[in-house]
PDB file of all heavy atoms in Angstrom:
ATOM      1  N   PRO A 298       8.734  23.982  -6.478  1.00  0.00           N
ATOM      2  CA  PRO A 298      10.215  23.750  -6.505  1.00  0.00           C
ATOM      3  C   PRO A 298      10.943  24.941  -7.109  1.00  0.00           C
ATOM      4  O   PRO A 298      12.124  25.112  -6.888  1.00  0.00           O
ATOM      5  CB  PRO A 298      10.471  22.604  -7.425  1.00  0.00           C
ATOM      6  CG  PRO A 298       9.135  22.458  -8.302  1.00  0.00           C
ATOM      7  CD  PRO A 298       8.042  22.969  -7.405  1.00  0.00           C
ATOM      8  N   SER A 300      10.217  28.169  -6.306  1.00  0.00           N
ATOM      9  CA  SER A 300      10.148  29.326  -5.390  1.00  0.00           C
ATOM     10  C   SER A 300      11.497  29.563  -4.765  1.00  0.00           C
ATOM     11  O   SER A 300      12.173  28.715  -4.151  1.00  0.00           O
ATOM     12  CB  SER A 300       9.184  29.109  -4.373  1.00  0.00           C
ATOM     13  OG  SER A 300       9.204  30.067  -3.325  1.00  0.00           O
ATOM     14  N   CYS A 301      12.063  30.810  -4.920  1.00  0.00           N
ATOM     15  CA  CYS A 301      13.391  31.160  -4.355  1.00  0.00           C
ATOM     16  C   CYS A 301      13.333  31.906  -3.099  1.00  0.00           C
ATOM     17  O   CYS A 301      14.341  32.432  -2.638  1.00  0.00           O
ATOM     18  CB  CYS A 301      14.137  31.979  -5.508  1.00  0.00           C
ATOM     19  SG  CYS A 301      14.408  31.232  -7.038  1.00  0.00           S
ATOM     20  N   ASP A 303      12.295  31.999   1.212  1.00  0.00           N
ATOM     21  CA  ASP A 303      12.321  31.037   2.338  1.00  0.00           C
ATOM     22  C   ASP A 303      11.104  31.214   3.158  1.00  0.00           C
ATOM     23  O   ASP A 303      10.953  32.079   4.015  1.00  0.00           O
ATOM     24  CB  ASP A 303      13.629  31.455   3.202  1.00  0.00           C
ATOM     25  CG  ASP A 303      14.835  31.358   2.435  1.00  0.00           C
ATOM     26  OD1 ASP A 303      14.954  30.578   1.498  1.00  0.00           O
ATOM     27  OD2 ASP A 303      15.893  32.182   2.734  1.00  0.00           O
ATOM     28  N   VAL A 335      17.069  17.089  -7.697  1.00  0.00           N
ATOM     29  CA  VAL A 335      15.828  17.431  -7.011  1.00  0.00           C
ATOM     30  C   VAL A 335      16.111  18.621  -5.965  1.00  0.00           C
ATOM     31  O   VAL A 335      15.369  19.546  -5.961  1.00  0.00           O
ATOM     32  CB  VAL A 335      15.160  16.224  -6.278  1.00  0.00           C
ATOM     33  CG1 VAL A 335      13.901  16.733  -5.617  1.00  0.00           C
ATOM     34  CG2 VAL A 335      14.879  15.247  -7.328  1.00  0.00           C
ATOM     35  N   ILE A 336      17.305  18.472  -5.298  1.00  0.00           N
ATOM     36  CA  ILE A 336      17.543  19.539  -4.171  1.00  0.00           C
ATOM     37  C   ILE A 336      18.475  20.621  -4.695  1.00  0.00           C
ATOM     38  O   ILE A 336      18.043  21.785  -4.553  1.00  0.00           O
ATOM     39  CB  ILE A 336      18.300  18.766  -3.043  1.00  0.00           C
ATOM     40  CG1 ILE A 336      17.438  17.656  -2.450  1.00  0.00           C
ATOM     41  CG2 ILE A 336      18.646  19.777  -1.980  1.00  0.00           C
ATOM     42  CD1 ILE A 336      18.132  16.762  -1.310  1.00  0.00           C
ATOM     43  N   VAL A 337      19.516  20.262  -5.391  1.00  0.00           N
ATOM     44  CA  VAL A 337      20.548  21.385  -5.716  1.00  0.00           C
ATOM     45  C   VAL A 337      19.900  22.504  -6.627  1.00  0.00           C
ATOM     46  O   VAL A 337      20.041  23.664  -6.402  1.00  0.00           O
ATOM     47  CB  VAL A 337      21.742  20.768  -6.315  1.00  0.00           C
ATOM     48  CG1 VAL A 337      22.674  21.849  -6.893  1.00  0.00           C
ATOM     49  CG2 VAL A 337      22.579  19.861  -5.222  1.00  0.00           C
ATOM     50  N   PRO A 338      19.121  22.068  -7.688  1.00  0.00           N
ATOM     51  CA  PRO A 338      18.796  23.101  -8.640  1.00  0.00           C
ATOM     52  C   PRO A 338      17.504  23.877  -8.235  1.00  0.00           C
ATOM     53  O   PRO A 338      17.014  24.867  -8.888  1.00  0.00           O
ATOM     54  CB  PRO A 338      18.426  22.359  -9.958  1.00  0.00           C
ATOM     55  CG  PRO A 338      18.823  20.932  -9.596  1.00  0.00           C
ATOM     56  CD  PRO A 338      18.791  20.727  -8.291  1.00  0.00           C
ATOM     57  N   HIS A 339      16.801  23.476  -7.162  1.00  0.00           N
ATOM     58  CA  HIS A 339      15.458  23.970  -6.792  1.00  0.00           C
ATOM     59  C   HIS A 339      15.474  24.710  -5.369  1.00  0.00           C
ATOM     60  O   HIS A 339      16.070  24.138  -4.473  1.00  0.00           O
ATOM     61  CB  HIS A 339      14.397  22.965  -6.917  1.00  0.00           C
ATOM     62  CG  HIS A 339      14.404  22.221  -8.267  1.00  0.00           C
ATOM     63  ND1 HIS A 339      14.978  21.076  -8.520  1.00  0.00           N
ATOM     64  CD2 HIS A 339      13.887  22.697  -9.417  1.00  0.00           C
ATOM     65  CE1 HIS A 339      14.804  20.774  -9.720  1.00  0.00           C
ATOM     66  NE2 HIS A 339      14.135  21.628 -10.355  1.00  0.00           N
ATOM     67  N   GLY A 340      14.543  25.627  -5.389  1.00  0.00           N
ATOM     68  CA  GLY A 340      14.505  26.371  -4.031  1.00  0.00           C
ATOM     69  C   GLY A 340      13.435  25.861  -3.088  1.00  0.00           C
ATOM     70  O   GLY A 340      13.606  25.850  -1.910  1.00  0.00           O
ATOM     71  N   TRP A 341      12.300  25.364  -3.608  1.00  0.00           N
ATOM     72  CA  TRP A 341      11.307  24.737  -2.841  1.00  0.00           C
ATOM     73  C   TRP A 341      10.741  25.624  -1.758  1.00  0.00           C
ATOM     74  O   TRP A 341      10.196  25.224  -0.753  1.00  0.00           O
ATOM     75  CB  TRP A 341      11.790  23.369  -2.186  1.00  0.00           C
ATOM     76  CG  TRP A 341      11.948  22.267  -3.089  1.00  0.00           C
ATOM     77  CD1 TRP A 341      13.335  21.815  -3.473  1.00  0.00           C
ATOM     78  CD2 TRP A 341      11.113  21.479  -3.807  1.00  0.00           C
ATOM     79  NE1 TRP A 341      13.205  20.813  -4.350  1.00  0.00           N
ATOM     80  CE2 TRP A 341      11.949  20.537  -4.677  1.00  0.00           C
ATOM     81  CE3 TRP A 341       9.687  21.496  -3.849  1.00  0.00           C
ATOM     82  CZ2 TRP A 341      11.276  19.633  -5.459  1.00  0.00           C
ATOM     83  CZ3 TRP A 341       9.139  20.531  -4.743  1.00  0.00           C
ATOM     84  CH2 TRP A 341       9.939  19.595  -5.514  1.00  0.00           C
ATOM     85  N   ALA A 343      12.148  27.160   0.616  1.00  0.00           N
ATOM     86  CA  ALA A 343      12.686  26.665   1.962  1.00  0.00           C
ATOM     87  C   ALA A 343      14.316  26.812   1.845  1.00  0.00           C
ATOM     88  O   ALA A 343      14.878  26.799   0.750  1.00  0.00           O
ATOM     89  CB  ALA A 343      12.199  25.292   2.297  1.00  0.00           C
ATOM     90  N   ASP A 344      14.867  26.942   3.025  1.00  0.00           N
ATOM     91  CA  ASP A 344      16.352  26.871   3.088  1.00  0.00           C
ATOM     92  C   ASP A 344      16.834  25.356   3.146  1.00  0.00           C
ATOM     93  O   ASP A 344      17.985  25.180   2.591  1.00  0.00           O
ATOM     94  CB  ASP A 344      16.835  27.486   4.446  1.00  0.00           C
ATOM     95  CG  ASP A 344      16.815  29.059   4.375  1.00  0.00           C
ATOM     96  OD1 ASP A 344      16.934  29.486   3.283  1.00  0.00           O
ATOM     97  OD2 ASP A 344      16.597  29.648   5.497  1.00  0.00           O
ATOM     98  N   LEU A 345      16.108  24.523   3.791  1.00  0.00           N
ATOM     99  CA  LEU A 345      16.461  23.212   3.979  1.00  0.00           C
ATOM    100  C   LEU A 345      15.434  22.087   3.523  1.00  0.00           C
ATOM    101  O   LEU A 345      14.170  22.523   3.700  1.00  0.00           O
ATOM    102  CB  LEU A 345      16.766  22.923   5.425  1.00  0.00           C
ATOM    103  CG  LEU A 345      17.862  23.815   6.050  1.00  0.00           C
ATOM    104  CD1 LEU A 345      17.776  23.744   7.568  1.00  0.00           C
ATOM    105  CD2 LEU A 345      19.288  23.168   5.692  1.00  0.00           C
ATOM    106  N   LEU A 346      15.901  20.990   3.062  1.00  0.00           N
ATOM    107  CA  LEU A 346      15.006  19.807   2.881  1.00  0.00           C
ATOM    108  C   LEU A 346      15.438  18.759   3.759  1.00  0.00           C
ATOM    109  O   LEU A 346      16.581  18.313   3.724  1.00  0.00           O
ATOM    110  CB  LEU A 346      15.001  19.411   1.338  1.00  0.00           C
ATOM    111  CG  LEU A 346      14.441  20.380   0.386  1.00  0.00           C
ATOM    112  CD1 LEU A 346      14.327  19.756  -1.010  1.00  0.00           C
ATOM    113  CD2 LEU A 346      12.982  20.857   0.774  1.00  0.00           C
ATOM    114  N   TYR A 359      19.310  19.041   4.066  1.00  0.00           N
ATOM    115  CA  TYR A 359      20.210  19.659   3.044  1.00  0.00           C
ATOM    116  C   TYR A 359      19.757  20.849   2.484  1.00  0.00           C
ATOM    117  O   TYR A 359      18.636  21.306   2.452  1.00  0.00           O
ATOM    118  CB  TYR A 359      20.195  18.611   1.831  1.00  0.00           C
ATOM    119  CG  TYR A 359      20.812  17.198   2.187  1.00  0.00           C
ATOM    120  CD1 TYR A 359      20.065  16.259   2.960  1.00  0.00           C
ATOM    121  CD2 TYR A 359      22.150  16.938   1.910  1.00  0.00           C
ATOM    122  CE1 TYR A 359      20.578  15.082   3.275  1.00  0.00           C
ATOM    123  CE2 TYR A 359      22.694  15.683   2.217  1.00  0.00           C
ATOM    124  CZ  TYR A 359      21.932  14.779   2.912  1.00  0.00           C
ATOM    125  OH  TYR A 359      22.440  13.630   3.335  1.00  0.00           O
ATOM    126  N   LEU A 360      20.785  21.749   2.233  1.00  0.00           N
ATOM    127  CA  LEU A 360      20.441  23.122   1.749  1.00  0.00           C
ATOM    128  C   LEU A 360      20.001  23.034   0.248  1.00  0.00           C
ATOM    129  O   LEU A 360      20.456  22.303  -0.491  1.00  0.00           O
ATOM    130  CB  LEU A 360      21.777  23.882   1.795  1.00  0.00           C
ATOM    131  CG  LEU A 360      22.355  24.175   3.194  1.00  0.00           C
ATOM    132  CD1 LEU A 360      23.804  24.750   3.079  1.00  0.00           C
ATOM    133  CD2 LEU A 360      21.534  25.262   3.853  1.00  0.00           C
ATOM    134  N   THR A 361      18.977  23.925   0.057  1.00  0.00           N
ATOM    135  CA  THR A 361      18.414  24.114  -1.254  1.00  0.00           C
ATOM    136  C   THR A 361      19.099  25.067  -2.112  1.00  0.00           C
ATOM    137  O   THR A 361      20.119  25.605  -1.673  1.00  0.00           O
ATOM    138  CB  THR A 361      16.882  24.446  -1.205  1.00  0.00           C
ATOM    139  OG1 THR A 361      16.895  25.819  -0.605  1.00  0.00           O
ATOM    140  CG2 THR A 361      16.098  23.575  -0.218  1.00  0.00           C
ATOM    141  N   ALA A 362      18.612  25.278  -3.324  1.00  0.00           N
ATOM    142  CA  ALA A 362      19.179  26.313  -4.261  1.00  0.00           C
ATOM    143  C   ALA A 362      19.162  27.693  -3.625  1.00  0.00           C
ATOM    144  O   ALA A 362      19.808  28.566  -4.221  1.00  0.00           O
ATOM    145  CB  ALA A 362      18.480  26.226  -5.492  1.00  0.00           C
ATOM    146  N   ASN A 363      18.384  27.830  -2.522  1.00  0.00           N
ATOM    147  CA  ASN A 363      18.346  29.246  -1.957  1.00  0.00           C
ATOM    148  C   ASN A 363      19.615  29.554  -1.116  1.00  0.00           C
ATOM    149  O   ASN A 363      19.825  30.590  -0.569  1.00  0.00           O
ATOM    150  CB  ASN A 363      17.135  29.355  -0.993  1.00  0.00           C
ATOM    151  CG  ASN A 363      15.948  29.293  -1.800  1.00  0.00           C
ATOM    152  OD1 ASN A 363      15.937  29.616  -3.046  1.00  0.00           O
ATOM    153  ND2 ASN A 363      14.803  28.856  -1.262  1.00  0.00           N
ATOM    154  N   SER A 364      20.663  28.622  -1.214  1.00  0.00           N
ATOM    155  CA  SER A 364      21.919  28.879  -0.448  1.00  0.00           C
ATOM    156  C   SER A 364      23.029  28.544  -1.536  1.00  0.00           C
ATOM    157  O   SER A 364      22.809  27.740  -2.419  1.00  0.00           O
ATOM    158  CB  SER A 364      22.034  27.787   0.685  1.00  0.00           C
ATOM    159  OG  SER A 364      23.387  27.747   1.170  1.00  0.00           O
ATOM    160  N   VAL A 365      24.139  29.222  -1.306  1.00  0.00           N
ATOM    161  CA  VAL A 365      25.278  28.978  -2.192  1.00  0.00           C
ATOM    162  C   VAL A 365      25.893  27.654  -2.134  1.00  0.00           C
ATOM    163  O   VAL A 365      26.633  27.256  -2.957  1.00  0.00           O
ATOM    164  CB  VAL A 365      26.326  30.166  -1.911  1.00  0.00           C
ATOM    165  CG1 VAL A 365      25.810  31.488  -2.349  1.00  0.00           C
ATOM    166  CG2 VAL A 365      26.828  30.120  -0.447  1.00  0.00           C
ATOM    167  N   ALA A 366      25.603  27.056  -0.876  1.00  0.00           N
ATOM    168  CA  ALA A 366      26.160  25.700  -0.703  1.00  0.00           C
ATOM    169  C   ALA A 366      25.035  24.527  -0.923  1.00  0.00           C
ATOM    170  O   ALA A 366      24.983  23.555  -0.264  1.00  0.00           O
ATOM    171  CB  ALA A 366      26.741  25.594   0.715  1.00  0.00           C
ATOM    172  N   ALA A 367      24.266  24.842  -1.978  1.00  0.00           N
ATOM    173  CA  ALA A 367      23.135  23.951  -2.222  1.00  0.00           C
ATOM    174  C   ALA A 367      23.551  22.372  -2.298  1.00  0.00           C
ATOM    175  O   ALA A 367      24.594  22.185  -2.935  1.00  0.00           O
ATOM    176  CB  ALA A 367      22.460  24.328  -3.538  1.00  0.00           C
ATOM    177  N   GLY A 368      22.772  21.499  -1.732  1.00  0.00           N
ATOM    178  CA  GLY A 368      23.130  20.188  -1.801  1.00  0.00           C
ATOM    179  C   GLY A 368      24.082  19.702  -0.628  1.00  0.00           C
ATOM    180  O   GLY A 368      24.166  18.522  -0.343  1.00  0.00           O
TER     181      GLY A 368
END
Side-chain angles (χ1 to χ4, degrees):
S300 174
C301 299
D303 303 331
V335 179
I336 300 176
V337 173
H339 303 101
W341 293 107
D344 282 332
L345 299 162
L346 294 186
Y359 294 79
L360 292 166
T361 68
N363 295 335
S364 169
V365 293

